[in-house]
C-alpha cells in the first residue's frame, strides 16, 4: 500500500531525488518559521501547510518524524538581505509596546492559525531568543577567515565560500547589483552575523557577546537551531521560495564555514540533504502583502464565514511548487468540495474503522494515492484518489472508513471531525443566531405543510432581510446560507 519510493524535489540539485534518511527509519525536518512582528497572511500559512503535508507523508511512509519549526523573535530586518530596520523593533516602536509582548502576541496568533488549519504540532518549536548562547558558541567555532568586524558588527565574508549561493543560482548575480547598504561591507552579498548596538543606543533585545553588545543576525538563528536540535546533516530543510535566494544560501555558507566540511553530508555539504521550497500564494493584483490592499489573514476568511479547512483544501488543490492565485470564488469552490467530502463520510460516522482489514476494491485507489503523494507530494492527484475512495460502493463500511482515515491522515482535512453545519457560510457580522434561523425555518415548514404559502413566503422574506438565504432543495443539503 505504501510501496512507491518517496521522491522529493531538491532545490539544491533542482531535481527529484529518492528520499534516503540520514538515520535509518527517521526523518528530521527543519522549517523556517514566522517572524512574529505581525499576523501571518494566508500566503505565509501556505508554507506551513506544505511543511505539514511533508511531515504527514513521511509518517505515512513509516519514518519516525522529528519536525522543528522556529519562531523568529529577533534579528529579521525589513530587507531579507541586510538592509533596513529590525522588523520586531520597528513594530514595537509603532505600537508603543514591549518587543517581548509583541512577540508573544503574534506567536499566539500564528499558533491559532496553525491549529485552525489542522497543522500538526512539530516535535519542537524553537524560539530564537532561547538560543543566543548557542549562537555565540557556533560563531566562535567558525574559522576567522570567514568573518570580519566593522563598526556595525560582525560580518560573514561570502567570498570565502567556494560555491556560495549555489542554491540561489541566477539570483546571486542580481544580488551583486544591490546597493551596498552597510558601510564597510566587503561584498554586497556579505551578511551580518552579529549586529552591534550603535554607541549611545540601547535595544530592547540585546545580549553581550565577544563582538560587543547587540543581537544575532537572522540567518545565524536557523543554522544554530537546526544544528542544535537535529544535528548536521539532517534530512530536509523547508521554507518559502523567497528563502531560496538569500536566507538559505546564507545558512548554507555558515554551515559550511562552521563544519569546515567535516560534519556535513559529503554529497552536498550544506547542512541538510534536501532543501525544499513552496511557491507563493499570490493575489490577482500580484504579490501578497501585509501592508497594502486587503490584509488576507486566516481570521478574515473565518470572519467572512469560510471554514479555515476550506483554505487548507485550496492549498492542496495546487502542487506546492506551483504558484497559487487566491480568489474568493476559488475559496468558495474549495468549501463546496470539502462539504461534498464531509457528506460522503457522513454514513461512516458511527462505524468503527477496521484498519487491519484489506479489500481488493480499495487496492487500486490506494496505490494511486500512494503514487501521487510519493511523487513529490502531488496533492491535487491524491485528492482525486481520496474522492474515488469515497465513491466506492457496496463495500464493508469499516474498511472504507479505515481507508479514508489513512488518506486523511496525510491530507489533514479532518473529514471525520467536521459536520455539514461547520461548513455553512456564516459571516461574523451576521447578528441573527442559528437558533433563530432554525425556529423561523420550523415555522415556515409548518406554514407550508398547512399550505399557507403567503406565511411561508413572508418568513422567507424576513430571513432574507437579515441576510439569510433559504436554499430549498439544495443538492448539498445546505438549508440556508448567510451572507
Ligand atoms: P516570514 O514570517 O516573512 O519569515 O515568512 C514565513 C514563511 O512564509 C516563509 O517560509 C516565507 O518564505 C513564506 N512566504 C512568504 N510569503 C509567502 C506567500 N505569498 N506564499 C507562500 N509562502 C510565503
Ligand atoms: Zn530560517
Amino acid at each position: 500500500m505504501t510501496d512507491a519510493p518517496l521522491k522529493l524535489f531538491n532545490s539544491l540539485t533542482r531535481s527529484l531525488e529518492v528520499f534516503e534518511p540520514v538515520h535509518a527509519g527517521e526523518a528530521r525536518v527543519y522549517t523556517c518559521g514566522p517572524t512574529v512582528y505581525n499576523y501571518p497572511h494566508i500566503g505565509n500559512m501556505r508554507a506551513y501547510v506544505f511543511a505539514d503535508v511533508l511531515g504527514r507523508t513521511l509518517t505515512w511512509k513509516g519514518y519516525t518524524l522529528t519536525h522543528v519549526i522556529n519562531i523568529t523573535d529577533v534579528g529579521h530586518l525589513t530587507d531579507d538581505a541586510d538592509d533596513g530596520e529590525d522588523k520586531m523593533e520597528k513594530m514595537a516602536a509603532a505600537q508603543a509596546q514591549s518587543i517581548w509582548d509583541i512577540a508573544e502576541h503574534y506567536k499566539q496568533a500564528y499558533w491559532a492559525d496553525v491549529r485552525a488549519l489542522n497543522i500538526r504540532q512539530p516535535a519542537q518549536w524553537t524560539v530564537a531568543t532561547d538560543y543566543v548562547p548557542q549562537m555565540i558558541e557556533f560563531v566562535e567555532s567558525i574559522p576567522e577567515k570567514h568573518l570580519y568586524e566593522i563598526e556595525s558588527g560582525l560580518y560573514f565574508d561570502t567570498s570565502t565560500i567556494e560555491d556560495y549561493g549555489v542554491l540561489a543560482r541566477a539570483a546571486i548575480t542580481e544580488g551583486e547589483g544591490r546597493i551596498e547598504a552597510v558601510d564597510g561591507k566587503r561584498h554586497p552579498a556579505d551578511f551580518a552575523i552579529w549586529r552591534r548596538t550603535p554607541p549611545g543606543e540601547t535595544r530592547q533585545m540585546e545580549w553581550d557577546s565577544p563582538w560587543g553588545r547587540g543581537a544575532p543576525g537572522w540567518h545565524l538563528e536557523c543554522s544554530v537551531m537546526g544544528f542544535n536540535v537535529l544535528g548536521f546533516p539532517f534530512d530536509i530543510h523547508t521554507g518559502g521560495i523567497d528563502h531560496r535566494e538569500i536566507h538559505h544560501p546564507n545558512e548554507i555558507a555558515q554551515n559550511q564555514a562552521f563544519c569546515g566540511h567535516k560534519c556535513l553530508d559529503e554529497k552536498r555539504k550544506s547542512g541538510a540533504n534536501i532543501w525544499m521550497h513552496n511557491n507563493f500564494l499570490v493575489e490577482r493584483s500580484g504579490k501578497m502583502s501585509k501592508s497594502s490592499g486587503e490584509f488576507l489573514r486566516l481570521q478574515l476568511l473565518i470572519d467572512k464565514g469560510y471554514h479555515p479547512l476550506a483554505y487548507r483544501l485550496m492549498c492542496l488543490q495546487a502542487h506546492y511548487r506551483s504558484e497559487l492565485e487566491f480568489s474568493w470564488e476559488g475559496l468558495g469552490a474549495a468549501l463546496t468540495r470539502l462539504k461534498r467530502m464531509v457528506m460522503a463520510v457522513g454514513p461512516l460516522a458511527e462505524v468503527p474503522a477496521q484498519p487491519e482489514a484489506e479489500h481488493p476494491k480499495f487496492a487500486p485507489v490506494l496505490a494511486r494515492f500512494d503514487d501521487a503523494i510519493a511523487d513529490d507530494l502531488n496533492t491535487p492527484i491524491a485528492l482525486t484518489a481520496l474522492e474515488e475512495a469515497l465513491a466506492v460502493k457496496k463495500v464493508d463500511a469499516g474498511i472504507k472508513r479505515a481507508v479514508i482515515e489513512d488518506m486523511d491522515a496525510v491530507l489533514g482535512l479532518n473529514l471525520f471531525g467536521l459536520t455539514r453545519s461547520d461548513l455553512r457560510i456564516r459571516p461574523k457580522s451576521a447578528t441573527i443566531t442559528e437558533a433563530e434561523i432554525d425556529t423561523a425555518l420550523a415555522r415556515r415548514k409548518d406554514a407550508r405543510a398547512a399550505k399557507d404559502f403567503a406565511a411561508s413566503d413572508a418568513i422567507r422574506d424576513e430571513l432574507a432581510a437579515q441576510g439569510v438565504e433559504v436554499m430549498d432543495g439544495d443538492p448539498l443539503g445546505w438549508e440556508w446560507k448567510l451572507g
Side-chain angles (χ1 to χ4, degrees):
M1 158 170 125
T2 60
D3 294 343
L6 176 59
K7 283 176 286 160
L8 300 171
F9 187 84
N10 188 351
S11 298
L12 260 187
T13 57
R14 299 287 201 273
S15 62
L16 284 176
E17 293 178 9
V18 173
F19 177 71
E20 285 168 15
V22 175
H23 305 270
E26 275 191 54
R28 303 188 184 183
V29 181
Y30 183 93
T31 292
C32 282
T35 305
V36 284
Y37 73 104
N38 201 342
Y39 296 106
H41 57 52
I42 55 174
N44 299 131
M45 296 314 294
R46 185 183 186 200
Y48 309 110
V49 169
F50 149 66
D52 182 50
V53 171
L54 171 66
R56 287 167 177 269
T57 299
L58 289 160
T59 306
W60 160 265
K61 287 297 194 186
Y63 297 103
T64 304
L65 174 71
T66 308
H67 191 185
V68 172
I69 308 181
N70 76 282
I71 303 283
T72 292
D73 55 354
V74 64
H76 195 172
L77 303 192
T78 44
D79 180 299
D80 273 2
D82 222 33
D83 198 4
E85 299 164 74
D86 184 304
K87 288 188 178 190
M88 301 288 307
E89 297 264 357
K90 189 177 168 193
M91 189 55 123
Q95 299 198 358
Q97 279 192 44
S98 129
I99 207 164
W100 299 96
D101 291 346
I102 293 278
E104 184 59 26
H105 175 78
Y106 291 112
K107 181 180 79 182
Q108 293 298 339
Y110 164 68
W111 279 345
D113 286 2
V114 162
R115 287 190 297 272
L117 289 168
N118 201 27
I119 291 167
R120 293 195 307 186
Q121 289 292 316
Q124 208 169 319
W125 296 104
T126 54
V127 179
T129 48
D130 291 342
Y131 283 82
V132 176
Q134 289 91 326
M135 292 182 208
I136 293 171
E137 228 172 85
F138 186 98
V139 179
E140 285 179 318
S141 303
I142 294 181
E144 268 175 25
K145 66 172 181 189
H146 297 292
L147 306 171
Y148 58 92
E149 273 189 84
I150 54 178
E151 201 182 324
S152 60
L154 184 69
Y155 276 73
F156 192 98
D157 184 338
T158 50
S159 72
T160 60
I161 297 291
E162 199 183 320
D163 50 1
Y164 171 75
V166 68
L167 179 66
R169 311 256 163 114
I172 285 306
T173 39
E174 282 165 31
E176 281 162 10
R178 265 198 318 253
I179 295 158
E180 199 172 328
V182 179
D183 275 350
K185 251 170 70 164
R186 291 181 188 163
H187 315 96
D190 292 357
F191 55 90
I193 289 271
W194 189 265
R195 287 178 305 115
R196 196 178 283 139
T197 306
E201 278 183 31
T202 47
R203 286 184 180 140
Q204 286 196 47
M205 280 181 174
E206 53 179 15
W207 295 262
D208 285 324
S209 85
W211 320 284
R213 212 165 157 70
W218 173 44
H219 316 299
L220 179 63
E221 301 173 5
C222 284
S223 281
V224 172
M225 290 185 279
F227 170 69
N228 273 269
V229 185
L230 300 175
F232 281 158
F234 54 88
D235 293 295
I236 305 174
H237 195 312
T238 83
I241 195 152
D242 50 334
H243 288 349
R244 202 179 66 181
E245 314 305 340
I246 298 171
H247 182 46
H248 289 168
N250 290 351
E251 267 189 57
I252 291 173
Q254 293 166 157
N255 298 351
Q256 292 181 337
F258 170 73
C259 292
H261 290 188
K262 280 194 302 290
C263 56
L264 295 181
D265 42 322
E266 263 316 297
K267 232 175 2 176
R268 326 247 188 256
K269 300 185 168 67
S270 70
N273 262 346
I274 300 187
W275 293 74
M276 294 177 74
H277 297 96
N278 64 279
N279 211 323
F280 268 16
L281 180 79
V282 295
E283 290 183 75
R284 202 156 290 170
S285 56
K287 198 169 175 253
M288 189 150 292
S289 156
K290 298 183 189 188
S291 50
S292 64
E294 197 171 34
F295 183 176
L296 286 169
R297 281 178 60 194
L298 192 65
Q299 190 57 48
L300 178 71
L301 275 48
I302 298 169
D303 289 350
K304 291 202 181 204
Y306 295 91
H307 196 281
L309 290 176
Y311 174 64
R312 182 177 175 107
L313 177 57
M314 191 179 183
C315 291
L316 301 184
Q317 290 182 154
H319 189 262
Y320 75 88
R321 282 195 284 126
S322 307
E323 216 171 64
L324 170 62
E325 185 179 296
F326 177 79
S327 70
W328 292 102
E329 302 77 44
L331 183 65
L335 181 70
T336 301
R337 188 174 184 192
L338 182 59
K339 186 155 191 212
R340 282 186 202 282
M341 293 181 190
V342 168
M343 286 175 71
V345 303
L348 308 174
E350 305 300 324
V351 180
Q354 291 187 38
E356 298 309 323
E358 284 191 21
H359 198 291
K361 269 200 172 173
F362 285 110
V365 74
L366 269 169
R368 271 198 294 284
F369 182 86
D370 185 49
D371 283 350
I373 208 74
D375 182 16
D376 194 28
L377 318 179
N378 195 333
T379 50
I381 305 285
L383 280 168
T384 61
L386 168 65
E387 283 166 329
E388 276 176 59
L390 285 169
V392 173
K393 299 261 168 14
K394 297 202 178 84
V395 74
D396 181 277
I399 296 174
K400 182 166 176 177
R401 176 161 185 153
V403 169
I404 306 298
E405 276 184 358
D406 278 359
M407 291 181 171
D408 197 26
V410 179
L411 299 171
L413 293 170
N414 192 21
L415 294 181
F416 288 96
L418 289 173
T419 63
R420 289 192 306 178
S421 85
D422 288 336
L423 299 178
R424 196 172 259 146
I425 296 191
R426 188 175 20 202
K428 190 178 156 203
S429 55
T431 48
I432 187 164
T433 66
E434 289 210 10
E436 286 165 342
I437 297 171
D438 286 344
T439 313
L441 287 178
R443 277 198 289 123
R444 180 163 173 269
K445 206 171 151 203
D446 291 345
R448 278 157 65 113
K451 300 217 169 4
D452 184 352
F453 295 112
S456 146
D457 286 351
I459 294 167
R460 186 190 188 106
D461 293 346
E462 269 168 40
L463 284 168
Q466 296 182 78
V468 181
E469 184 189 335
V470 178
M471 300 165 82
D472 292 324
D474 175 52
L476 290 179
W478 244 310
E479 295 131 2
W480 53 265
K481 174 166 104 176
L482 261 170

